[in-house]
Amino acid sequence: MSNPPQTPVVGMAGGGQLARMTQQAAIALGVPLRVLAGSADDSAAKVVADVQVGDDRALDDLMAFAKGCDVVTFDHEHVPDLHIREVEISGVPCRPGSAALAHAQDKLVMRDRLSAFGAPCPAYAPLPSADPVPALEAFGREHGWPVVLKATRGGYDGKGVWIADEPGVETAELVERLIGEGVDLMVEQHVQFRRELAALVARSPYGQGAAYPIVETVQNDGICVEVISPAPGLSGELAAEAQSLALRIADELGVAGLLAVELFETGAPEGGQGGGSGLVVNELAMRPHNSGHWTIEGARTSQFEQHLRAVLDLPLGSTEPTAPYTVMANVLGGDDPDVYSRYVHVMAHDPGVKVHMYGKESRPGRKIGHVTVLGDDLPDLRERARHAADYLRWGTAMKEHA
Amino acid sequence: MSNPPQTPVVGMAGGGQLARMTQQAAIALGVPLRVLAGSADDSAAKVVADVQVGDDRALDDLMAFAKGCDVVTFDHEHVPDLHIREVEISGVPCRPGSAALAHAQDKLVMRDRLSAFGAPCPAYAPLPSADPVPALEAFGREHGWPVVLKATRGGYDGKGVWIADEPGVETAELVERLIGEGVDLMVEQHVQFRRELAALVARSPYGQGAAYPIVETVQNDGICVEVISPAPGLSGELAAEAQSLALRIADELGVAGLLAVELFETGAPEGGQGGGSGLVVNELAMRPHNSGHWTIEGARTSQFEQHLRAVLDLPLGSTEPTAPYTVMANVLGGDDPDVYSRYVHVMAHDPGVKVHMYGKESRPGRKIGHVTVLGDDLPDLRERARHAADYLRWGTAMKEHA
């Protein structure tokens, strides 16, 4: 295929929904997107002309893929960092680069680096693979129970995270089993939080930064089910602090592309007594993020376009919101995989709801799409988003499934 | 490729920018889009996974293409109506269908049908291929000179339209030459208009209709260069009349999909003296239309999503505007085809401008993209859109090329 002169080809390793939605932005920018997908049935492979089917964790496949690209970026964190380094050595820039991405790939590396420049983190410690239980129990004695066990690498959507309520046989067995399976573990203080927030920023190689409004994320069983932008009732001071923190992290880590910082807002739960608010960093992601899907309609520049601009070292786009509030709800798979037949109700019921489906086979609990609504009446928006997401899942309102 | 159960495949004949932008909407809806493109280098072929390369005016290619589709629609008007009829007979619905589409393919058929139910049209007459000049001169005597000569079929962007200022040798030679080339001609009264408007509506097979705000279109040498939504200063009465007229035409003609009605607002030019305003139908298109590109960001439902919903017989989406004003400017090719290198200035200058490029080779005067800006300060928006479009064309502001 011939492309207009000088237009760079962006390669994205991974064929999931993030690559799929990046394609929508690439189409507008006239930038050819190549995708390295595990199969021609992957979410993004179904909607991109230039697909290489291969294993993005295999060096040969990655190197062959990178050869046709002017810049390589990622749909997920699971491409081995040494392979990314090989691509960089071959002369194709990776954005984010291997040095930055290490902090999104390894939670212990991230904690060490963030703590070093004073970003707020919970207390944490690595667990030695030899004799881990005494170290864990010592951590619990110092910081209190429960504690959070995390696989340092490879987790997502609540996978790779375990809560240990108290010391004892059960906890010891869990730790021994995981270490026996070859999982590298760390332990973190269990943070008391009021709610979860996310800060989304972009940083270009040139050094330009741009911050989106801070959002509230609502999780269910470790899976994000709803995002509200901006986070309702968040003080301007704390919002600015969260944006500055995310921009600082992007800068310190030398991120090129998007950076999503998942945050805990500490303090007593809403309506409860006690202490002021504060922020603690939970996780990092260096790519378009579920907490930023609302930007497709809710911000002047979608996170997908912003990521492309950043990895291409183009000037970043406006992050201005397009409505007072935007609510995004994830669509999870239900029992009946025929989601399309449920469009009629959802669209007739609410002509303003924006439906985004990922072309993925529906399996119970799997993220297969999301819906977005915009406006100024937040309770109404939340109800509309929830109704649409529930109906696409169940074919009826969620309450009838309670 | 396997798709989720029951999800219909939409086929679009033609691989231009309308199919390209339809792909962005198809991705969101999770609806697989198949494109019949003249070459793998076509605008849409570069961004769609499921492309058949073939000639959409050749019956065999069209029939083979349609076989894999649940519904077939069109990126342009140039697929022969008898071929569309064959597809319909084979059991694959075409939307719009051949009966409706005839009115967008043949200007004389359109005028006859519209006049029959009282839609406002200029005076018109067919020109006989034998001895056309006396008929033309009689028409000019009755309705005044100049008159407008039109090829009944195949025109676009000002092609297929000629102004004849007066009777005489020059006009006679033009008519004889065209008829000699096999062009079917008609003549129309030259309408005195204040400005050009466009009404965009959708109609589903179920019969649901939805109307977008009426826009003003600004033409230059027969090519639309700018669209302003809503048309500034248009009375609510005339706007409602234009919407009703377009919905009525969609209904009378049995359109399934989008219908764009290009209109003249009659009366003295702005600032001039004389008569009240009125509407006259200029042209029809039954597909996403250049006058509706503003809807991608400027309306809750883009025209591309709306077209897909309509051809799939899904409930139509909200046409509510997302900002007080939206301005779209077409990007035409300039002397230097390296448009990408000019992104840096355009994006740094104006982080809020939305750039849409079509992946087409730049040639002087060719439509290769468009830009959109939204807000409430119309003069500022027009200036911003013009600056971005001019800069992408010339690498400098237009005024320096004047």
Side-chain angles (χ1 to χ4, degrees):
Chain A
M1 253 181 290
S2 75
N3 287 301
Q6 313 304 332
T7 308
V9 175
V10 176
M12 192 170 250
Q17 64 262 32
L18 302 178
R20 180 184 177 97
M21 290 185 272
T22 301
Q23 166 74 339
Q24 294 174 295
I27 290 172
L29 293 180
V31 168
L33 184 70
R34 285 195 83 192
V35 166
L36 176 55
S39 109
D41 257 351
D42 278 9
S43 177
K46 289 176 176 169
V47 300
V48 168
D50 189 4
V51 176
Q52 180 186 316
V53 173
D55 179 357
D56 56 27
R57 296 171 212 206
L59 181 60
D60 288 354
D61 286 1
L62 185 69
M63 292 297 285
F65 173 72
K67 220 169 170 184
C69 302
D70 293 286
V71 57
V72 168
T73 187
F74 309 94
D75 164 272
H76 57 70
E77 283 85 25
H78 309 309
V79 177
D81 45 0
L82 289 175
H83 295 182
I84 298 174
R85 190 75 200 106
E86 287 295 321
V87 172
E88 292 171 330
I89 289 167
S90 81
V92 178
C94 294
R95 292 175 181 158
S98 56
L101 201 58
H103 304 89
Q105 295 183 311
D106 188 305
K107 296 177 202 295
L108 187 59
V109 170
M110 183 268 278
R111 286 294 184 218
D112 285 346
R113 184 80 181 84
L114 262 57
S115 304
F117 65 84
C121 290
Y124 70 97
L127 285 187
S129 54
D131 218 8
V133 175
L136 175 65
E137 295 189 345
F139 184 91
R141 273 192 303 278
E142 186 177 351
H143 299 287
W145 295 87
V147 299
V148 183
L149 283 167
K150 289 184 172 178
T152 59
R153 304 177 72 93
Y156 68 98
D157 276 356
K159 290 184 179 63
V161 177
W162 302 265
I163 308 290
D165 288 324
E166 51 183 19
V169 177
E170 210 175 318
T171 294
E173 279 177 358
L174 172 65
V175 169
E176 296 289 1
R177 178 173 65 76
L178 290 168
I179 297 234
E181 287 169 2
V183 177
D184 285 329
L185 285 179
M186 61 186 292
V187 57
E188 289 186 356
Q189 190 180 9
H190 189 266
V191 176
Q192 285 296 329
F193 60 86
R194 178 174 291 174
R195 59 178 171 172
E196 295 188 59
L197 304 174
L200 184 68
V201 299
R203 184 177 175 276
S204 69
Y206 181 79
Q208 192 191 2
Y212 285 94
I214 302 302
V215 301
E216 177 174 346
T217 65
V218 181
Q219 328 287 323
N220 202 337
D221 292 332
I223 295 184
C224 170
V225 293
E226 186 186 14
V227 173
I228 306 167
S229 174
L234 187 67
S235 72
E237 202 180 333
L238 210 58
E241 190 182 319
Q243 289 181 317
S244 300
L245 174 61
L247 287 168
R248 169 114 199 259
I249 295 171
D251 211 46
E252 291 276 355
L253 271 45
V255 174
L258 286 179
L259 171 71
V261 183
E262 297 180 26
L263 295 160
F264 295 125
E265 184 184 352
T266 56
E270 260 183 291
Q273 298 292 314
S277 285
L279 299 172
V280 171
V281 175
N282 182 21
E283 307 279 0
L284 302 186
M286 292 180 194
R287 51 167 172 76
H289 191 253
N290 198 171
S291 68
H293 291 354
W294 68 273
T295 60
I296 297 175
E297 294 90 5
R300 188 56 64 220
T301 308
S302 82
Q303 65 166 347
F304 301 99
E305 178 179 340
Q306 197 75 299
H307 187 66
L308 285 173
R309 287 185 181 220
V311 305
L312 289 165
D313 208 7
L314 289 168
L316 301 177
S318 165
T319 57
E320 198 189 337
T322 63
Y325 282 106
T326 304
V327 177
M328 190 265 350
N330 280 324
V331 177
L332 306 181
D335 301 326
D336 173 5
D338 178 14
V339 179
Y340 183 81
S341 71
R342 299 193 281 275
Y343 280 22
V344 172
H345 166 83
V346 168
M347 293 177 177
H349 181 76
D350 189 345
V353 71
K354 302 315 300 172
V355 172
H356 296 261
M357 296 301 291
Y358 305 154
K360 294 166 90 164
E361 210 183 311
S362 177
R363 287 197 299 263
R366 186 186 201 194
K367 272 187 206 166
I368 56 169
H370 74 266
V371 295
T372 305
V373 289
L374 301 88
D376 48 20
D377 180 348
L378 183 56
D380 178 60
L381 295 175
R382 294 188 69 178
E383 167 58 29
R384 288 168 57 197
R386 215 175 297 129
H387 177 88
D390 286 353
Y391 198 96
L392 288 170
R393 181 175 192 177
W394 300 113
T396 177
M398 188 71 173
K399 50 183 173 281
E400 298 172 34
H401 280 262
Chain B
M1 251 180 291
S2 75
N3 287 302
Q6 314 302 333
T7 308
V9 175
V10 175
M12 191 170 251
Q17 65 261 31
L18 302 178
R20 181 184 176 97
M21 291 185 273
T22 301
Q23 165 73 340
Q24 294 174 295
I27 290 172
L29 293 180
V31 168
L33 183 69
R34 283 195 86 192
V35 166
L36 176 54
S39 110
D41 258 352
D42 278 8
S43 177
K46 289 177 177 171
V47 301
V48 167
D50 190 3
V51 176
Q52 180 186 315
V53 174
D55 179 357
D56 56 26
R57 298 173 210 204
L59 181 60
D60 287 354
D61 286 1
L62 185 70
M63 293 296 284
F65 174 73
K67 219 169 172 185
C69 302
D70 293 287
V71 57
V72 168
T73 186
F74 308 94
D75 163 272
H76 57 71
E77 282 86 24
H78 309 308
V79 177
D81 47 359
L82 289 175
H83 295 183
I84 298 174
R85 190 76 201 106
E86 287 296 319
V87 173
E88 291 171 330
I89 289 166
S90 80
V92 178
C94 294
R95 292 175 182 159
S98 56
L101 201 58
H103 303 89
Q105 294 182 312
D106 189 305
K107 296 179 201 294
L108 186 60
V109 171
M110 182 268 278
R111 287 292 183 218
D112 285 346
R113 184 80 182 84
L114 262 57
S115 303
F117 65 82
C121 290
Y124 69 97
L127 285 187
S129 54
D131 217 8
V133 175
L136 175 65
E137 294 188 345
F139 185 90
R141 273 193 303 278
E142 186 176 352
H143 299 288
W145 295 86
V147 298
V148 182
L149 283 168
K150 290 184 172 179
T152 59
R153 304 178 72 93
Y156 67 97
D157 277 357
K159 292 182 178 61
V161 177
W162 303 265
I163 308 292
D165 287 325
E166 51 184 18
V169 177
E170 211 175 321
T171 294
E173 280 177 357
L174 172 67
V175 169
E176 296 289 2
R177 178 173 65 75
L178 291 168
I179 297 236
E181 289 167 1
V183 177
D184 285 329
L185 285 180
M186 61 185 291
V187 58
E188 289 187 357
Q189 191 181 10
H190 188 266
V191 176
Q192 284 297 330
F193 60 88
R194 176 174 293 175
R195 58 176 171 174
E196 295 189 58
L197 304 174
L200 183 68
V201 298
R203 184 177 175 277
S204 69
Y206 181 79
Q208 191 190 3
Y212 286 93
I214 302 303
V215 301
E216 176 175 346
T217 64
V218 181
Q219 328 285 325
N220 200 339
D221 292 333
I223 295 184
C224 170
V225 291
E226 186 186 13
V227 173
I228 306 167
S229 174
L234 187 67
S235 73
E237 202 180 332
L238 210 58
E241 191 182 319
Q243 289 181 316
S244 300
L245 174 61
L247 287 167
R248 169 117 197 258
I249 295 171
D251 211 45
E252 291 277 355
L253 271 46
V255 175
L258 286 180
L259 171 71
V261 183
E262 297 180 27
L263 295 161
F264 295 124
E265 184 183 352
T266 57
E270 257 182 294
Q273 298 291 317
S277 285
L279 299 171
V280 171
V281 174
N282 182 19
E283 307 280 357
L284 302 185
M286 292 179 195
R287 50 168 171 76
H289 191 253
N290 196 171
S291 69
H293 290 354
W294 69 273
T295 60
I296 297 175
E297 293 91 4
R300 189 54 65 220
T301 308
S302 82
Q303 66 166 345
F304 301 98
E305 178 179 339
Q306 197 75 297
H307 187 67
L308 285 173
R309 286 185 182 220
V311 305
L312 288 164
D313 208 7
L314 288 169
L316 300 178
S318 164
T319 57
E320 198 190 335
T322 62
Y325 283 107
T326 303
V327 177
M328 191 264 350
N330 280 325
V331 177
L332 306 181
D335 301 325
D336 172 5
D338 178 15
V339 179
Y340 183 80
S341 71
R342 300 193 281 273
Y343 280 20
V344 172
H345 167 82
V346 167
M347 292 177 177
H349 181 77
D350 189 346
V353 70
K354 303 315 300 173
V355 172
H356 295 261
M357 296 301 292
Y358 304 154
K360 294 166 89 163
E361 211 183 312
S362 176
R363 285 198 300 263
R366 186 184 201 194
K367 271 187 206 166
I368 57 170
H370 74 266
V371 295
T372 305
V373 289
L374 301 87
D376 47 21
D377 180 349
L378 183 56
D380 178 60
L381 296 175
R382 293 187 69 177
E383 167 57 29
R384 287 169 57 197
R386 215 175 296 129
H387 177 88
D390 285 352
Y391 198 96
L392 288 171
R393 181 173 192 180
W394 300 113
T396 179
M398 188 73 173
K399 49 182 173 281
E400 298 172 33
H401 279 263

